[in-house]
């Protein structure tokens, strides 16, 4: 189906679009090419009283086998990046890795931690993503978002309610449109060396050869989720086609055509086992959505 130059796919599996290569079928799927496309899609869905979900590259999401109702919008084709002096303005659909590479190219430091993180700028803001001592809230100075009212609002860093793996957009249902990163001038050689070091650590510690969401659980206070899972003897445990990684216990990898339900069931198994063994509650960092 086409809607004013925008293709809307019906009964579309999300698996081909997801980092886990798993996910149920959505009623409608659209990938806008512009902010105007996005607005038209939202109006179309509103006129049909249809629920809407907006995502980037599905790098931190588990969609259950029953899929999602209504319209699902993926923003990864909204990916413009502008650099001016020490400021980078990036659309929500821009890959964070690409933005980090642009920072390197222009001799700007502060985004080295993002060099190997999958997903988009919007996802990084939404989850306040971070790694290796860096975090989104340290470098994002403002965010433009489309609110449910239809207004576009600019949020300052202070107004974004950043916390560990949290931002205001988890509460206000705004759609992130773009983010402004304010960085510092640096030596390209040193910036590249830090990026290379971070990527080397990832390649050696993380199971990058299998589809996954990356780290599944938030870090519990006083503990490391991966060590708790490893010490519980859960590495290699499978539900369906999804396995607790034998390389990094904090990851769950799709080794044999696993499904969204497999991921959710394995997450629950790990949570219950760690709770029973150590009395520690593991909170999922990945989002789980959809019908069973």
């Amino acid at each position: 189906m086409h809607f004013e130059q925008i293709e809307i796919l019906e009964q579309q599996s999300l698996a081909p679009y997801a980092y886990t290569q798993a996910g149920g079928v959505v009623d409608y799927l659209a990938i806008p090419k512009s902010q105007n496309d996005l607005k038209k899609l939202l109006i179309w869905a509103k006129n049909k009283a249809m629920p809407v979900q907006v995502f980037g590259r599905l790098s931190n999401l588990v969609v259950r086998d029953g899929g999602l109702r209504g319209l699902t919008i993926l923003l990864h084709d909204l990916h413009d990046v502008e650099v001016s002096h020490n400021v980078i303005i990036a659309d929500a659909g821009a890959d964070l890795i690409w933005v980090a590479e642009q920072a390197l190219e222009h001799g700007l430091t502060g985004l080295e931690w993002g060099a190997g993180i999958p997903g988009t700028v919007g996802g990084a803001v939404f989850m306040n993503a971070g790694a290796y001592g860096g975090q989104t809230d340290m470098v994002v100075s403002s965010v433009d978002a489309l609110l449910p009212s239809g207004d576009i609002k600019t949020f300052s860093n202070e107004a974004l309610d950043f916390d560990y793996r949290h931002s205001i957009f988890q509460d206000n249902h705004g759609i992130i449109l773009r983010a402004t990163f304010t960085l510092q001038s640096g030596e390209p050689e040193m910036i590249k060396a830090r990026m290379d070091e971070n990527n080397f650590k990832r390649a050696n510690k993380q199971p990058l050869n299998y589809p996954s969401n990356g780290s599944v659980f938030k870090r519990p206070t006083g503990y490391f989720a991966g060590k708790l899972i490893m010490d519980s003897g859960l590495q290699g445990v499978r539900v369906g086609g999804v396995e607790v990684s034998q390389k990094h216990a904090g990851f769950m990898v799709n080794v044999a055509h696993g499904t969204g339900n497999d991921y959710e069931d394995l997450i629950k198994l790990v949570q219950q086992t760690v709770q029973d063994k150590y009395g520690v509650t593991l909170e999922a960092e990945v989002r789980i959505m959809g019908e069973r």
Side-chain angles (χ1 to χ4, degrees), residues 77-93:
D77 277 358
L78 302 182
H79 49 51
D80 286 351
V81 177
E82 300 175 12
V83 184
S84 178
H85 302 292
N86 67 323
V87 171
I88 298 179
I89 300 175
D91 283 352

Side-chain angles (χ1 to χ4, degrees), residues 87-135:
V87 171
I88 298 179
I89 300 175
D91 283 352
D95 287 330
L96 185 63
I97 292 171
W98 173 243
V99 178
E101 289 174 352
Q102 290 300 293
L104 167 62
E105 185 174 317
H106 289 82
L108 297 175
T109 183
L111 264 176
E112 291 88 333
W113 56 270
I117 291 183
T120 61
V121 165
V125 170
F126 185 90
M127 290 298 298
N128 193 17
Y132 299 115
Q135 201 163 256

Side-chain angles (χ1 to χ4, degrees), residues 236-249:
V237 170
R238 283 193 196 186
V239 170
V242 180
E243 177 181 285
V244 177
S245 170
Q246 299 184 54
K247 187 172 185 179
H248 189 311

